[in-house]
Amino acid sequence: MSDNQHLEHMEHDRGTWGSNFGFLMAAVGSAVGLGNIWGFPYKMGSKGGFAFLIIYLLLVIFVGVVVMLGELTIGRKTGKGAVGAYAALSKKYKWVGYLGILSAFTLLAFYNVLGGLVMRYMFGFLLQIMGVDGFSGAGMGFFGYILYDYSGMIFFHVLFIVCNVVIVMGGIQGGIEKFCTVAMPALFFMLLFVIIYVAFQPGAGEGYKFMLTPNFEPLSSFGGFIDVLKTAAGQMFFSLSLGMGAIISYGSYLDKKEDLQKNSLIIPACDTLIAVMAACAILPACAAFNMEYAQGPGLLFNTMQNVFLSMGSFGNFVGFMFYFLVFIAAVTSSISLFEAIVTWRLDVGIEKKQKVSRTKIMSIAAVCAFIVGIPVALDALGAADAVVKAPYLLLGMTPEQLAAGQVPMAIDCWLDFFDVISEGIFMPLGALIMAVLIGWKWKTRNLIVPECEISGHKFWGYTFFDICFKFITPIGMILVLGGQIYDFFIKALIA
């Protein structure tokens, strides 16, 4: 970016990173979120433990690192967010950038609700520490209770969004970077504390055995392999913040002297470490307290609350610390989703030479995210008697069909509906298109190599990245997309 462009961006409230460490903590924060601490353990628990872990690690190496480098390169080379970046490289591919923005927005529809739930549990344990019943008399049945506590769901939905607004309004250095440079190290040490505590509980060893004992039975059939593959891939995109415009946006603020290739390795490595650490806290805890690994999406809320309440008074402290670290993880990711949207609108203002305000853009984005998230907050995860009807009910299907497995996952509740659009379709589709464009049209040697070597660092991974961009990543994404479409839309209809 030239000096004039840099000044112009500053005048339009765009900003830059203060340091590479600040960028790394923000990028890792974007990657480390509910995808790691909520999604990874329950998906690992429901998809065979070790088999899921191996597939996930392979996907991170051959897809995650590759897409991460591609998005950082596109962002820094153009100095723009997702939409502007693709338009700068080729106007006819501008729509690929919009896939990222739509992914970010549809993720926010349910992410903010989950973030609000995390805050409710955090405050619940804080009240418990103060000697007040923090779970409204529902105790270990609180997860079922809170889904129908509509005023509470809306209140904490709003509160979580307000936290995002305050941070993103502070800008890149004063808001996002300042928060993440403190929050991410704190998250690591708090998670480490929970892991150590759980490790000393009787029976926890069975959880580690489930995670680490080689077991390839879930991969023994083609259908089983595709099932684990598409679940691990969806988790990887969700966890690494790929395909949603966030990494392109963060890359657009990155100085030319920074080593893109090194950063594209550090971010997935840190993200994967936190995901595995979360599994090392949650799955052994399930084993220690005789709870099922395959609890599904309620694992983080229902199971872990029960674990902490069963510990007695000290469990209240551990529970508060645990949900506080989950809150940190959640908000460092959600601010990157909002930033992808804010950066897009800032770029539009800069292009049209209009005075634009980060505060105004963020306020509008927050209100829109709140409105779209209302059905997720009020449908009680698809319950027939909820105040807001789930998609399958609006389409004339019945609870009996849902119980019989005849309702496509894409419409069984509003959370899954938005999740399918973003994690299931838009994100892998965007990654597929980006990989094909870099590998075959723009060429790795013409786009990736010059941008990586402009910092003065040699691009040593050319052969690996070139093969991945051309073959491995596109083939993997085609398999994932096929598996997602079958699982989310077709499987239930032919059952």
Side-chain angles (χ1 to χ4, degrees):
M1 187 186 299
S2 69
D3 290 340
N4 287 338
Q5 285 177 308
H6 179 75
L7 288 172
E8 187 178 13
H9 281 213
M10 290 295 289
E11 288 173 4
H12 286 83
D13 211 11
R14 207 175 187 279
T16 57
W17 299 112
S19 67
N20 190 58
F21 178 76
F23 157 73
L24 279 175
M25 289 300 97
V28 171
S30 173
V32 173
L34 289 177
N36 301 71
I37 301 178
W38 169 68
F40 188 87
Y42 95 72
K43 290 176 183 177
M44 186 176 181
S46 63
K47 298 298 178 184
F50 181 82
F52 175 88
L53 178 62
I54 292 300
I55 295 296
Y56 184 84
L57 293 176
L58 290 173
L59 281 167
V60 169
I61 294 170
F62 292 103
V63 178
V65 170
V66 176
V67 176
M68 179 70 68
L69 179 62
E71 293 199 354
L72 286 175
T73 299
I74 289 172
R76 191 175 74 171
K77 180 177 179 62
T78 61
K80 297 179 182 294
V83 177
Y86 276 99
L89 293 171
S90 177
K91 288 194 178 295
K92 67 179 180 180
Y93 296 114
K94 184 177 181 179
W95 64 273
V96 182
Y98 280 114
L99 279 181
I101 299 301
L102 288 172
S103 295
F105 195 74
T106 50
L107 276 170
L108 284 169
F110 68 86
Y111 203 97
N112 291 325
V113 176
L114 292 173
L117 271 175
V118 170
M119 294 187 77
R120 177 62 184 90
Y121 277 81
M122 182 179 73
F123 282 120
F125 278 108
L126 181 60
L127 290 173
Q128 294 281 120
I129 293 171
M130 297 167 63
V132 179
D133 180 9
F135 298 105
S136 305
M140 293 187 177
F142 183 71
F143 185 66
Y145 166 84
I146 189 64
L147 293 178
Y148 288 93
D149 180 17
Y150 302 126
S151 59
M153 291 292 288
I154 291 295
F155 174 78
F156 283 98
H157 180 203
V158 172
L159 187 59
F160 186 77
I161 291 176
V162 169
C163 292
N164 282 268
V165 170
V166 171
I167 295 169
V168 176
M169 279 183 178
I172 292 299
Q173 288 188 41
I176 296 173
E177 182 173 352
K178 182 181 290 186
F179 179 79
C180 290
T181 51
V182 175
M184 294 317 299
L187 169 65
F188 174 81
F189 287 109
M190 283 190 288
L191 186 54
L192 189 61
F193 167 78
V194 174
I195 289 172
I196 294 171
Y197 181 85
V198 169
F200 283 95
Q201 303 308 304
E206 290 300 316
Y208 298 117
K209 189 180 296 185
F210 173 74
M211 291 174 56
L212 302 175
T213 300
N215 171 28
F216 296 101
E217 185 178 346
L219 309 177
S220 58
S221 67
F222 181 74
F225 170 75
I226 293 296
D227 184 42
V228 175
L229 177 69
K230 65 91 180 171
T231 304
Q235 168 62 26
M236 182 199 66
F237 278 102
F238 184 21
S239 182
L240 286 175
S241 297
L242 299 174
M244 58 183 74
I247 298 300
I248 293 178
S249 298
Y250 277 13
S252 73
Y253 299 103
L254 196 57
D255 193 279
K256 292 289 187 183
K257 71 176 182 291
E258 306 300 348
D259 188 343
L260 286 188
Q261 187 173 208
K262 181 181 72 176
N263 288 338
S264 71
L265 296 173
I266 292 174
I267 297 166
C270 291
D271 176 77
T272 303
L273 173 64
I274 295 295
V276 174
M277 287 177 69
C280 286
I282 294 175
L283 296 179
C286 289
F289 293 92
N290 297 315
M291 295 182 177
E292 291 292 329
Y293 300 125
Q295 288 281 311
L299 178 66
L300 174 66
F301 302 109
N302 190 31
T303 303
M304 293 309 293
Q305 184 215 9
N306 293 346
V307 168
F308 296 134
L309 288 179
S310 68
M311 293 178 185
S313 58
F314 185 62
N316 294 328
F317 173 73
V318 178
F320 172 74
M321 292 293 290
F322 179 79
Y323 285 106
F324 180 61
L325 73 86
V326 177
F327 164 72
I328 290 176
V331 81
T332 52
S333 289
S334 55
I335 58 177
S336 73
L337 296 174
F338 274 116
E339 183 60 32
I341 297 169
V342 170
T343 300
W344 161 50
R345 296 310 304 167
L346 285 173
D347 288 344
V348 171
I350 292 170
E351 185 178 345
K352 294 181 178 180
K353 301 189 182 303
Q354 298 172 343
K355 179 67 176 177
V356 288
S357 166
R358 170 178 287 272
T359 298
K360 180 179 178 181
I361 295 170
M362 182 58 195
S363 299
I364 294 172
V367 170
C368 292
F370 166 71
I371 293 171
V372 177
I374 289 175
V376 181
L378 301 181
D379 83 333
L381 288 179
D385 57 348
V387 66
V388 169
K389 300 302 178 186
Y392 77 95
L393 294 170
L394 296 176
L395 293 173
M397 303 184 81
T398 65
E400 290 73 24
Q401 287 176 290
L402 178 66
Q406 298 170 350
V407 173
M409 189 183 296
I411 58 172
D412 63 0
C413 68
W414 283 104
L415 189 155
D416 280 341
F417 175 77
F418 287 117
D419 188 28
V420 167
I421 294 173
S422 53
E423 180 186 325
I425 305 298
F426 287 165
M427 291 156 70
L429 180 60
L432 169 62
I433 296 169
M434 186 197 73
V436 171
L437 287 174
I438 293 177
W440 297 99
K441 181 176 177 59
W442 297 328
K443 306 293 186 182
T444 310
R445 64 176 176 273
N446 296 333
L447 177 65
I448 302 293
V449 176
E451 186 61 29
C452 286
E453 293 190 341
I454 199 172
S455 61
H457 299 89
K458 181 176 175 57
F459 187 74
W460 48 263
Y462 173 77
T463 301
F464 170 79
F465 283 104
D466 191 50
I467 291 173
C468 287
F469 277 121
K470 286 180 176 176
F471 304 107
I472 298 176
T473 303
I475 291 171
M477 290 303 93
I478 290 171
L479 288 173
V480 167
L481 273 170
Q484 300 280 37
I485 292 169
Y486 172 78
D487 204 47
F488 289 138
F489 296 98
I490 300 172
K491 184 177 180 180
L493 298 177
I494 62 176

